Amino acid sequence: MPLIIMCGYPCSGKTRRTEELKAHFEETTDRQVHIVGDRALGVDRNSVYADSQKEKDTRASLKAEVERKVNKDNIVILDSLNYIKGYRYELFCLTKHAQTPHCLVRMQVHCLTSGEESSLWNKNREAAEQYSQDIFDALVQRFEAPDSRNRWDSPLFTVLKDDILPLEAVSDALFKRKAPPPNQSTQSQPLSSTNFLYELDKITQDVLMAIFNAQKTSVPGDLISVPGATEKISFMTVNMAELRKLRRQFISYSKMHPTEKTGQIANMFVQYLNKGLH
């Protein structure tokens, strides 16, 4: 399923352009068009974008929804801010894994007054649809503009306020361009041994239990020893749901990059947790 990633300041016209793209592809193709975005998730923007953890969870939910819908047959449009370069790279890797084309439609960011215009559009919205001024200003400040020289931001279509959306060019980018080929980081590899998955599951579970038990007596800053690892966990208060999420991510990564040295799994997992928790 070709993926279109909308990108731009808050209130820069992304949803209006999304509807234009949806109408065009429904009229000119037999493909289904799926829109994934904040509105579909019922996101309370002033609550979510004021809390970094809530925002991170929302991005994860949007990515998961795209991943559920993406295939080679239909079209997905991700209608959200998508203002973080690293997040756009994750979406690019997702399309490589699915072996489907993608493109990026960038709204108004070349216009020197786009921040002011977007702010005015925000104020003209119904109260329930508005960003607070503090949240709006923070999002504009954090915006990481796409760059067509980056492969994950290419092809890039920049659309200003009064521009006509280049529908045919977007269509050509999706349907006449080869999908990015999968590579080692996005394509599953065979397990290196029949015991690898068992060891991976058991060792990572033992590490989580060690952390869980240590939380009862540890204070932030303590170094926690875990079974089978020379590396130590730098303790911080974290719930088990977050630890299980990191464990699932590590297992998925390890399946694609298996190792014959199962004795290193605990150390690798500890290093992964230390990076993911700080």
Side-chain angles (χ1 to χ4, degrees):
M1 180 182 292
L3 173 64
I4 302 174
I5 303 170
M6 309 302 288
C7 177
Y9 288 164
C11 307
S12 59
K14 297 183 297 298
T15 297
R16 175 170 63 91
R17 299 298 193 169
T18 293
E19 294 296 339
E20 288 181 42
L21 287 164
K22 182 175 186 291
H24 171 74
F25 288 118
E26 286 179 339
E27 290 174 5
T28 59
T29 73
D30 295 327
R31 298 169 183 260
Q32 290 185 336
V33 181
H34 301 274
I35 296 176
V36 176
D38 296 0
R39 183 173 296 180
L41 291 182
V43 169
D44 180 344
R45 57 190 62 183
N46 287 310
S47 171
V48 165
Y49 292 112
D51 184 313
S52 60
Q53 186 58 52
K54 287 182 180 179
E55 183 180 348
K56 182 178 178 181
D57 292 342
T58 297
R59 287 199 301 271
S61 297
L62 290 169
K63 181 182 172 184
E65 186 66 17
V66 169
E67 191 167 14
R68 278 192 290 270
K69 294 182 181 299
V70 74
N71 61 42
K72 296 181 180 180
D73 297 324
N74 300 321
I75 300 168
V76 173
I77 306 175
L78 178 55
D79 178 21
S80 187
L81 295 172
N82 300 315
Y83 69 95
I84 298 174
K85 178 171 61 176
Y87 183 60
R88 295 196 299 269
Y89 177 74
E90 291 178 19
L91 294 167
F92 171 73
C93 290
L94 187 154
T95 65
K96 285 171 72 76
H97 181 68
Q99 298 184 51
T100 184
H102 90 300
C103 72
L104 191 69
V105 178
R106 178 186 183 190
M107 309 301 295
Q108 289 195 334
V109 295
H110 276 320
C111 181
L112 292 176
T113 59
S114 63
E116 297 171 7
E117 283 190 310
S118 294
S119 180
L120 179 61
W121 289 1
N122 180 53
K123 292 174 182 176
N124 288 336
R125 287 184 167 189
E126 294 182 9
E129 292 290 317
Q130 289 183 14
Y131 293 87
S132 71
Q133 193 60 46
D134 286 345
I135 296 297
F136 179 91
D137 291 342
L139 289 170
V140 169
Q141 182 67 31
R142 299 202 299 263
F143 186 83
E144 297 177 343
D147 184 341
S148 61
R149 293 172 295 183
N150 298 327
R151 63 190 186 281
W152 58 87
D153 284 338
S154 179
L156 171 65
F157 298 92
T158 299
V159 184
L160 304 181
K161 181 184 70 171
D162 297 321
D163 285 354
I164 296 174
L165 198 59
L167 297 169
E168 291 303 319
V170 173
S171 181
D172 288 347
L174 295 178
F175 303 124
K176 296 183 180 180
R177 191 171 61 94
K178 289 184 178 180
N183 56 25
Q184 187 180 15
S185 65
T186 59
Q187 193 171 38
S188 297
Q189 304 293 324
L191 298 180
S192 57
S193 74
T194 55
N195 292 327
F196 177 76
L197 189 57
Y198 169 78
E199 293 292 337
L200 180 64
D201 182 76
K202 181 178 183 301
I203 292 170
T204 53
Q205 185 61 39
D206 288 345
V207 171
L208 288 201
M209 289 309 299
I211 297 172
F212 178 71
N213 291 329
Q215 283 188 332
K216 300 173 184 177
T217 57
S218 299
V219 296
D222 285 355
L223 295 177
I224 301 173
S225 298
V226 298
T230 56
E231 300 271 350
K232 294 183 178 181
I233 293 283
S234 179
F235 176 76
M236 63 179 295
T237 303
V238 61
N239 60 43
M240 285 301 291
E242 179 67 16
L243 288 172
R244 292 191 187 100
K245 176 183 175 182
L246 289 169
R247 175 175 177 262
R248 289 193 299 271
Q249 292 173 349
F250 177 78
I251 287 175
S252 296
Y253 175 86
S254 298
K255 286 179 181 178
M256 295 188 290
H257 303 80
T259 177
E260 295 289 347
K261 299 178 180 179
T262 55
Q264 293 296 316
I265 291 175
N267 273 331
M268 292 166 60
F269 186 39
V270 169
Q271 292 170 1
Y272 188 86
L273 289 175
N274 278 330
K275 290 180 180 179
L277 294 173
H278 295 86

mmCIF file of all heavy atoms in Angstrom, residues 183-222:
data_model
loop_
_atom_site.group_PDB
_atom_site.id
_atom_site.type_symbol
_atom_site.label_atom_id
_atom_site.label_comp_id
_atom_site.label_asym_id
_atom_site.label_seq_id
_atom_site.Cartn_x
_atom_site.Cartn_y
_atom_site.Cartn_z
ATOM 1 N N ASN A 183 16.352 -4.139 3.380
ATOM 2 C CA ASN A 183 17.737 -4.449 3.697
ATOM 3 C C ASN A 183 17.789 -5.236 4.991
ATOM 4 O O ASN A 183 16.755 -5.613 5.542
ATOM 5 C CB ASN A 183 18.595 -3.182 3.785
ATOM 6 C CG ASN A 183 18.030 -2.190 4.783
ATOM 7 O OD1 ASN A 183 17.328 -2.559 5.714
ATOM 8 N ND2 ASN A 183 18.329 -0.916 4.579
ATOM 9 N N GLN A 184 18.992 -5.476 5.503
ATOM 10 C CA GLN A 184 19.117 -6.345 6.663
ATOM 11 C C GLN A 184 18.349 -5.820 7.865
ATOM 12 O O GLN A 184 17.834 -6.590 8.671
ATOM 13 C CB GLN A 184 20.590 -6.499 7.037
ATOM 14 C CG GLN A 184 20.818 -7.535 8.136
ATOM 15 C CD GLN A 184 22.278 -7.671 8.483
ATOM 16 O OE1 GLN A 184 23.084 -6.832 8.124
ATOM 17 N NE2 GLN A 184 22.615 -8.736 9.184
ATOM 18 N N SER A 185 18.258 -4.493 7.991
ATOM 19 C CA SER A 185 17.610 -3.941 9.167
ATOM 20 C C SER A 185 16.094 -3.981 9.089
ATOM 21 O O SER A 185 15.418 -3.760 10.083
ATOM 22 C CB SER A 185 18.060 -2.496 9.382
ATOM 23 O OG SER A 185 17.624 -1.692 8.313
ATOM 24 N N THR A 186 15.516 -4.222 7.899
ATOM 25 C CA THR A 186 14.059 -4.223 7.764
ATOM 26 C C THR A 186 13.513 -5.556 7.296
ATOM 27 O O THR A 186 12.306 -5.717 7.179
ATOM 28 C CB THR A 186 13.603 -3.145 6.754
ATOM 29 O OG1 THR A 186 14.200 -3.405 5.481
ATOM 30 C CG2 THR A 186 13.989 -1.770 7.234
ATOM 31 N N GLN A 187 14.358 -6.535 7.042
ATOM 32 C CA GLN A 187 13.900 -7.828 6.543
ATOM 33 C C GLN A 187 14.273 -8.910 7.542
ATOM 34 O O GLN A 187 15.404 -8.990 8.010
ATOM 35 C CB GLN A 187 14.553 -8.135 5.192
ATOM 36 C CG GLN A 187 13.895 -9.306 4.457
ATOM 37 C CD GLN A 187 14.431 -9.414 3.048
ATOM 38 O OE1 GLN A 187 15.601 -9.201 2.806
ATOM 39 N NE2 GLN A 187 13.580 -9.745 2.112
ATOM 40 N N SER A 188 13.316 -9.754 7.900
ATOM 41 C CA SER A 188 13.556 -10.789 8.881
ATOM 42 C C SER A 188 14.586 -11.781 8.371
ATOM 43 O O SER A 188 14.581 -12.173 7.215
ATOM 44 C CB SER A 188 12.253 -11.533 9.209
ATOM 45 O OG SER A 188 11.330 -10.646 9.799
ATOM 46 N N GLN A 189 15.463 -12.198 9.287
ATOM 47 C CA GLN A 189 16.484 -13.173 8.964
ATOM 48 C C GLN A 189 16.150 -14.493 9.662
ATOM 49 O O GLN A 189 15.474 -14.512 10.692
ATOM 50 C CB GLN A 189 17.861 -12.680 9.456
ATOM 51 C CG GLN A 189 18.234 -11.316 8.910
ATOM 52 C CD GLN A 189 18.473 -11.344 7.430
ATOM 53 O OE1 GLN A 189 19.006 -12.313 6.905
ATOM 54 N NE2 GLN A 189 18.080 -10.291 6.740
ATOM 55 N N PRO A 190 16.649 -15.623 9.156
ATOM 56 C CA PRO A 190 16.411 -16.890 9.830
ATOM 57 C C PRO A 190 17.115 -16.913 11.182
ATOM 58 O O PRO A 190 18.173 -16.311 11.364
ATOM 59 C CB PRO A 190 17.044 -17.918 8.874
ATOM 60 C CG PRO A 190 18.033 -17.139 8.088
ATOM 61 C CD PRO A 190 17.442 -15.771 7.938
ATOM 62 N N LEU A 191 16.519 -17.592 12.166
ATOM 63 C CA LEU A 191 17.131 -17.700 13.475
ATOM 64 C C LEU A 191 18.434 -18.464 13.373
ATOM 65 O O LEU A 191 18.577 -19.399 12.596
ATOM 66 C CB LEU A 191 16.178 -18.409 14.443
ATOM 67 C CG LEU A 191 14.842 -17.680 14.699
ATOM 68 C CD1 LEU A 191 14.004 -18.476 15.668
ATOM 69 C CD2 LEU A 191 15.091 -16.286 15.223
ATOM 70 N N SER A 192 19.400 -18.088 14.202
ATOM 71 C CA SER A 192 20.726 -18.677 14.090
ATOM 72 C C SER A 192 20.812 -20.058 14.708
ATOM 73 O O SER A 192 21.734 -20.802 14.431
ATOM 74 C CB SER A 192 21.749 -17.762 14.759
ATOM 75 O OG SER A 192 21.388 -17.531 16.110
ATOM 76 N N SER A 193 19.896 -20.436 15.585
ATOM 77 C CA SER A 193 19.884 -21.775 16.142
ATOM 78 C C SER A 193 18.487 -22.096 16.633
ATOM 79 O O SER A 193 17.668 -21.212 16.873
ATOM 80 C CB SER A 193 20.885 -21.894 17.299
ATOM 81 O OG SER A 193 20.383 -21.229 18.445
ATOM 82 N N THR A 194 18.207 -23.383 16.791
ATOM 83 C CA THR A 194 16.859 -23.783 17.216
ATOM 84 C C THR A 194 16.574 -23.338 18.645
ATOM 85 O O THR A 194 15.413 -23.183 19.030
ATOM 86 C CB THR A 194 16.717 -25.314 17.122
ATOM 87 O OG1 THR A 194 17.768 -25.923 17.878
ATOM 88 C CG2 THR A 194 16.797 -25.782 15.685
ATOM 89 N N ASN A 195 17.618 -23.134 19.459
ATOM 90 C CA ASN A 195 17.426 -22.733 20.847
ATOM 91 C C ASN A 195 17.407 -21.214 21.030
ATOM 92 O O ASN A 195 17.146 -20.735 22.124
ATOM 93 C CB ASN A 195 18.562 -23.303 21.712
ATOM 94 C CG ASN A 195 18.489 -24.812 21.819
ATOM 95 O OD1 ASN A 195 17.405 -25.386 21.825
ATOM 96 N ND2 ASN A 195 19.646 -25.454 21.891
ATOM 97 N N PHE A 196 17.698 -20.472 19.953
ATOM 98 C CA PHE A 196 17.871 -19.037 20.096
ATOM 99 C C PHE A 196 16.619 -18.347 20.630
ATOM 100 O O PHE A 196 16.682 -17.553 21.577
ATOM 101 C CB PHE A 196 18.265 -18.419 18.746
ATOM 102 C CG PHE A 196 18.392 -16.926 18.793
ATOM 103 C CD1 PHE A 196 19.488 -16.318 19.374
ATOM 104 C CD2 PHE A 196 17.404 -16.109 18.255
ATOM 105 C CE1 PHE A 196 19.606 -14.936 19.429
ATOM 106 C CE2 PHE A 196 17.505 -14.735 18.297
ATOM 107 C CZ PHE A 196 18.617 -14.146 18.883
ATOM 108 N N LEU A 197 15.447 -18.660 20.052
ATOM 109 C CA LEU A 197 14.217 -17.995 20.469
ATOM 110 C C LEU A 197 13.882 -18.324 21.921
ATOM 111 O O LEU A 197 13.452 -17.445 22.683
ATOM 112 C CB LEU A 197 13.065 -18.409 19.551
ATOM 113 C CG LEU A 197 11.749 -17.642 19.732
ATOM 114 C CD1 LEU A 197 11.970 -16.149 19.555
ATOM 115 C CD2 LEU A 197 10.701 -18.145 18.761
ATOM 116 N N TYR A 198 14.110 -19.585 22.298
ATOM 117 C CA TYR A 198 13.847 -19.975 23.685
ATOM 118 C C TYR A 198 14.745 -19.196 24.639
ATOM 119 O O TYR A 198 14.288 -18.650 25.655
ATOM 120 C CB TYR A 198 14.070 -21.485 23.863
ATOM 121 C CG TYR A 198 14.074 -21.928 25.305
ATOM 122 C CD1 TYR A 198 12.884 -22.086 26.007
ATOM 123 C CD2 TYR A 198 15.276 -22.159 25.977
ATOM 124 C CE1 TYR A 198 12.885 -22.470 27.340
ATOM 125 C CE2 TYR A 198 15.291 -22.541 27.307
ATOM 126 C CZ TYR A 198 14.095 -22.695 27.985
ATOM 127 O OH TYR A 198 14.097 -23.079 29.301
ATOM 128 N N GLU A 199 16.039 -19.144 24.322
ATOM 129 C CA GLU A 199 16.985 -18.438 25.176
ATOM 130 C C GLU A 199 16.671 -16.945 25.228
ATOM 131 O O GLU A 199 16.754 -16.311 26.286
ATOM 132 C CB GLU A 199 18.424 -18.647 24.659
ATOM 133 C CG GLU A 199 18.928 -20.067 24.777
ATOM 134 C CD GLU A 199 19.131 -20.498 26.218
ATOM 135 O OE1 GLU A 199 19.315 -19.610 27.083
ATOM 136 O OE2 GLU A 199 19.101 -21.712 26.490
ATOM 137 N N LEU A 200 16.321 -16.380 24.091
ATOM 138 C CA LEU A 200 15.986 -14.957 24.018
ATOM 139 C C LEU A 200 14.800 -14.641 24.928
ATOM 140 O O LEU A 200 14.815 -13.675 25.694
ATOM 141 C CB LEU A 200 15.670 -14.582 22.569
ATOM 142 C CG LEU A 200 15.287 -13.134 22.273
ATOM 143 C CD1 LEU A 200 16.451 -12.191 22.567
ATOM 144 C CD2 LEU A 200 14.860 -12.992 20.804
ATOM 145 N N ASP A 201 13.774 -15.446 24.856
ATOM 146 C CA ASP A 201 12.573 -15.240 25.658
ATOM 147 C C ASP A 201 12.878 -15.392 27.149
ATOM 148 O O ASP A 201 12.479 -14.558 27.970
ATOM 149 C CB ASP A 201 11.491 -16.229 25.234
ATOM 150 C CG ASP A 201 10.198 -16.040 26.008
ATOM 151 O OD1 ASP A 201 9.466 -15.071 25.705
ATOM 152 O OD2 ASP A 201 9.926 -16.849 26.912
ATOM 153 N N LYS A 202 13.599 -16.454 27.509
ATOM 154 C CA LYS A 202 13.873 -16.748 28.918
ATOM 155 C C LYS A 202 14.792 -15.697 29.544
ATOM 156 O O LYS A 202 14.517 -15.194 30.641
ATOM 157 C CB LYS A 202 14.519 -18.129 29.052
ATOM 158 C CG LYS A 202 14.832 -18.549 30.495
ATOM 159 C CD LYS A 202 15.422 -19.927 30.542
ATOM 160 C CE LYS A 202 15.665 -20.363 31.990
ATOM 161 N NZ LYS A 202 16.573 -19.444 32.721
ATOM 162 N N ILE A 203 15.867 -15.344 28.858
ATOM 163 C CA ILE A 203 16.843 -14.408 29.411
ATOM 164 C C ILE A 203 16.235 -13.023 29.604
ATOM 165 O O ILE A 203 16.413 -12.386 30.650
ATOM 166 C CB ILE A 203 18.089 -14.340 28.509
ATOM 167 C CG1 ILE A 203 18.859 -15.670 28.571
ATOM 168 C CG2 ILE A 203 18.999 -13.183 28.920
ATOM 169 C CD1 ILE A 203 19.959 -15.798 27.535
ATOM 170 N N THR A 204 15.491 -12.540 28.599
ATOM 171 C CA THR A 204 14.893 -11.204 28.721
ATOM 172 C C THR A 204 13.829 -11.174 29.816
ATOM 173 O O THR A 204 13.682 -10.169 30.517
ATOM 174 C CB THR A 204 14.293 -10.737 27.381
ATOM 175 O OG1 THR A 204 13.378 -11.738 26.888
ATOM 176 C CG2 THR A 204 15.381 -10.518 26.343
ATOM 177 N N GLN A 205 13.095 -12.267 29.987
ATOM 178 C CA GLN A 205 12.109 -12.335 31.062
ATOM 179 C C GLN A 205 12.794 -12.330 32.423
ATOM 180 O O GLN A 205 12.336 -11.662 33.365
ATOM 181 C CB GLN A 205 11.244 -13.594 30.918
ATOM 182 C CG GLN A 205 10.108 -13.701 31.931
ATOM 183 C CD GLN A 205 9.129 -12.540 31.824
ATOM 184 O OE1 GLN A 205 8.798 -12.087 30.736
ATOM 185 N NE2 GLN A 205 8.671 -12.045 32.968
ATOM 186 N N ASP A 206 13.909 -13.042 32.554
ATOM 187 C CA ASP A 206 14.663 -13.058 33.816
ATOM 188 C C ASP A 206 15.181 -11.665 34.163
ATOM 189 O O ASP A 206 15.178 -11.256 35.334
ATOM 190 C CB ASP A 206 15.843 -14.033 33.713
ATOM 191 C CG ASP A 206 15.404 -15.491 33.710
ATOM 192 O OD1 ASP A 206 14.229 -15.762 34.066
ATOM 193 O OD2 ASP A 206 16.227 -16.356 33.350
ATOM 194 N N VAL A 207 15.619 -10.928 33.147
ATOM 195 C CA VAL A 207 16.102 -9.562 33.385
ATOM 196 C C VAL A 207 14.975 -8.677 33.907
ATOM 197 O O VAL A 207 15.145 -7.913 34.868
ATOM 198 C CB VAL A 207 16.717 -8.965 32.100
ATOM 199 C CG1 VAL A 207 17.011 -7.478 32.278
ATOM 200 C CG2 VAL A 207 17.993 -9.705 31.712
ATOM 201 N N LEU A 208 13.792 -8.778 33.284
ATOM 202 C CA LEU A 208 12.660 -7.969 33.741
ATOM 203 C C LEU A 208 12.290 -8.292 35.177
ATOM 204 O O LEU A 208 11.987 -7.394 35.971
ATOM 205 C CB LEU A 208 11.441 -8.186 32.834
ATOM 206 C CG LEU A 208 11.470 -7.592 31.431
ATOM 207 C CD1 LEU A 208 10.045 -7.456 30.892
ATOM 208 C CD2 LEU A 208 12.141 -6.241 31.379
ATOM 209 N N MET A 209 12.299 -9.566 35.528
ATOM 210 C CA MET A 209 11.939 -9.953 36.893
ATOM 211 C C MET A 209 12.965 -9.425 37.894
ATOM 212 O O MET A 209 12.614 -9.013 39.005
ATOM 213 C CB MET A 209 11.827 -11.479 36.991
ATOM 214 C CG MET A 209 10.620 -12.056 36.277
ATOM 215 S SD MET A 209 9.062 -11.242 36.750
ATOM 216 C CE MET A 209 9.026 -11.599 38.520
ATOM 217 N N ALA A 210 14.237 -9.428 37.501
ATOM 218 C CA ALA A 210 15.278 -8.896 38.385
ATOM 219 C C ALA A 210 15.058 -7.407 38.625
ATOM 220 O O ALA A 210 15.215 -6.909 39.751
ATOM 221 C CB ALA A 210 16.654 -9.146 37.778
ATOM 222 N N ILE A 211 14.701 -6.679 37.578
ATOM 223 C CA ILE A 211 14.436 -5.244 37.719
ATOM 224 C C ILE A 211 13.206 -5.016 38.591
ATOM 225 O O ILE A 211 13.188 -4.156 39.477
ATOM 226 C CB ILE A 211 14.244 -4.595 36.336
ATOM 227 C CG1 ILE A 211 15.522 -4.705 35.509
ATOM 228 C CG2 ILE A 211 13.825 -3.129 36.475
ATOM 229 C CD1 ILE A 211 15.360 -4.267 34.073
ATOM 230 N N PHE A 212 12.169 -5.799 38.353
ATOM 231 C CA PHE A 212 10.921 -5.672 39.116
ATOM 232 C C PHE A 212 11.176 -5.893 40.605
ATOM 233 O O PHE A 212 10.696 -5.131 41.459
ATOM 234 C CB PHE A 212 9.897 -6.674 38.601
ATOM 235 C CG PHE A 212 8.594 -6.660 39.355
ATOM 236 C CD1 PHE A 212 7.714 -5.598 39.223
ATOM 237 C CD2 PHE A 212 8.267 -7.704 40.209
ATOM 238 C CE1 PHE A 212 6.518 -5.579 39.931
ATOM 239 C CE2 PHE A 212 7.074 -7.691 40.911
ATOM 240 C CZ PHE A 212 6.196 -6.622 40.781
ATOM 241 N N ASN A 213 11.937 -6.927 40.941
ATOM 242 C CA ASN A 213 12.228 -7.226 42.340
ATOM 243 C C ASN A 213 13.123 -6.153 42.966
ATOM 244 O O ASN A 213 12.959 -5.788 44.131
ATOM 245 C CB ASN A 213 12.892 -8.598 42.456
ATOM 246 C CG ASN A 213 11.929 -9.735 42.128
ATOM 247 O OD1 ASN A 213 10.725 -9.621 42.374
ATOM 248 N ND2 ASN A 213 12.443 -10.812 41.569
ATOM 249 N N ALA A 214 14.077 -5.623 42.174
ATOM 250 C CA ALA A 214 14.996 -4.613 42.695
ATOM 251 C C ALA A 214 14.288 -3.289 42.970
ATOM 252 O O ALA A 214 14.726 -2.505 43.822
ATOM 253 C CB ALA A 214 16.144 -4.401 41.708
ATOM 254 N N GLN A 215 13.189 -3.031 42.265
ATOM 255 C CA GLN A 215 12.466 -1.773 42.455
ATOM 256 C C GLN A 215 11.913 -1.635 43.865
ATOM 257 O O GLN A 215 11.659 -0.527 44.335
ATOM 258 C CB GLN A 215 11.332 -1.650 41.433
ATOM 259 C CG GLN A 215 11.808 -1.270 40.041
ATOM 260 C CD GLN A 215 10.648 -0.972 39.109
ATOM 261 O OE1 GLN A 215 9.557 -1.492 39.280
ATOM 262 N NE2 GLN A 215 10.892 -0.141 38.121
ATOM 263 N N LYS A 216 11.741 -2.764 44.546
ATOM 264 C CA LYS A 216 11.161 -2.728 45.890
ATOM 265 C C LYS A 216 12.115 -2.105 46.899
ATOM 266 O O LYS A 216 11.681 -1.563 47.918
ATOM 267 C CB LYS A 216 10.790 -4.150 46.324
ATOM 268 C CG LYS A 216 9.765 -4.829 45.417
ATOM 269 C CD LYS A 216 9.566 -6.282 45.802
ATOM 270 C CE LYS A 216 8.608 -6.991 44.836
ATOM 271 N NZ LYS A 216 8.458 -8.433 45.145
ATOM 272 N N THR A 217 13.428 -2.180 46.626
ATOM 273 C CA THR A 217 14.417 -1.707 47.601
ATOM 274 C C THR A 217 15.369 -0.645 47.045
ATOM 275 O O THR A 217 16.128 -0.058 47.805
ATOM 276 C CB THR A 217 15.257 -2.890 48.119
ATOM 277 O OG1 THR A 217 15.878 -3.552 47.008
ATOM 278 C CG2 THR A 217 14.368 -3.897 48.856
ATOM 279 N N SER A 218 15.333 -0.416 45.742
ATOM 280 C CA SER A 218 16.292 0.508 45.124
ATOM 281 C C SER A 218 15.763 1.933 45.084
ATOM 282 O O SER A 218 14.550 2.171 45.205
ATOM 283 C CB SER A 218 16.632 0.043 43.703
ATOM 284 O OG SER A 218 17.224 -1.234 43.714
ATOM 285 N N VAL A 219 16.675 2.862 44.927
ATOM 286 C CA VAL A 219 16.316 4.269 44.744
ATOM 287 C C VAL A 219 16.960 4.746 43.459
ATOM 288 O O VAL A 219 17.950 4.165 42.995
ATOM 289 C CB VAL A 219 16.806 5.133 45.928
ATOM 290 C CG1 VAL A 219 16.124 4.730 47.220
ATOM 291 C CG2 VAL A 219 18.322 5.043 46.067
ATOM 292 N N PRO A 220 16.413 5.804 42.817
ATOM 293 C CA PRO A 220 16.998 6.298 41.567
ATOM 294 C C PRO A 220 18.494 6.567 41.703
ATOM 295 O O PRO A 220 18.944 7.175 42.664
ATOM 296 C CB PRO A 220 16.210 7.583 41.304
ATOM 297 C CG PRO A 220 14.883 7.328 41.940
ATOM 298 C CD PRO A 220 15.178 6.524 43.172
ATOM 299 N N GLY A 221 19.240 6.072 40.734
ATOM 300 C CA GLY A 221 20.687 6.219 40.745
ATOM 301 C C GLY A 221 21.413 4.939 41.099
ATOM 302 O O GLY A 221 22.602 4.787 40.802
ATOM 303 N N ASP A 222 20.713 3.993 41.743
ATOM 304 C CA ASP A 222 21.328 2.699 42.060
ATOM 305 C C ASP A 222 21.626 1.925 40.781
ATOM 306 O O ASP A 222 20.924 2.075 39.763
ATOM 307 C CB ASP A 222 20.400 1.856 42.933
ATOM 308 C CG ASP A 222 20.362 2.348 44.374
ATOM 309 O OD1 ASP A 222 21.132 3.265 44.689
ATOM 310 O OD2 ASP A 222 19.554 1.817 45.153
#
